[in-house]
Amino acid sequence: MATIKVGMADLNICKSPDMITTLGLGSCIGIALYDPVTKIGGLAHIMLPDSTQMRNNSNIAKFADTGIEELVKRMIAAGANKNRLVAKIAGGAKMFEVSGLSAIGNVGERNAQASREKLKQMGIPLKAEDTGLNYGRTVELYTETGEFRIKSVGKTVKTI
C-alpha cells in the first residue's frame, strides 16, 4: 500500500489499496471523494472558499469551488462514476481568536460552508464531516474501505 501525500492548496487521487493523506488542516478543509465500486479516492486540501473573490486564483486546488470540480474531473478520468461519488470533509477550524466578526477569523466556517454548497450543487452526497472547533487535523482516506480517519493532537483517532 502506497501513501499519497497531498500538500496545502493541492489535490490528488489514488486507487485501492493506496491511502491518501493531508497534514495540518487548520482553517483549511480536507475534502475526500470516494467511489465505493472502483475504490478510487480523491483528496483536496482547500484553503479558501471561492476563487471568484481572488485576482490571483491560478491554483485551482486552493479553492473549494474549483478544487472540488478538478477532483471530480480527475476521478472520472481514472474510472470513477460521478453518480456513485460520496464526500466526507474535515477541518475548517477556527484557529485564531479574533474579536468581532472578522472574515479572517471565520475563514474555516466559510471554507466548510463553501465545500458543502459546491458538493450539493454537483449532486455529491456529503456522508460525514468533522469540522469547526479550534484544533488542527490530519486526515487519511483509505481507498480499500472508504474510511476517512481524522487525527488531532491529544485526541483519539476518529473514523467517519
Side-chain angles (χ1 to χ4, degrees), residues 123-138:
I124 299 169
L126 179 60
K127 291 293 190 192
E129 65 174 280
D130 181 45
T131 58
L133 301 173
N134 62 350
Y135 54 86
R137 296 162 172 90
T138 290

Side-chain angles (χ1 to χ4, degrees), residues 57-68:
N57 62 3
S58 56
N59 179 357
I60 53 178
K62 188 184 241 182
F63 306 97
D65 56 350
T66 50
I68 293 171

Side-chain angles (χ1 to χ4, degrees), residues 99-110:
S99 59
L101 294 170
S102 162
I104 306 272
N106 208 10
V107 72
E109 178 49 41
R110 292 202 339 266

Side-chain angles (χ1 to χ4, degrees), residues 5-8 21-26 28 43 45 137-140:
K5 289 189 165 65
V6 172
M8 203 174 207
T21 183
T22 192
L23 312 173
L25 291 168
C28 296
L43 186 63
H45 182 140
R137 296 162 172 90
T138 290
V139 295
E140 301 172 341

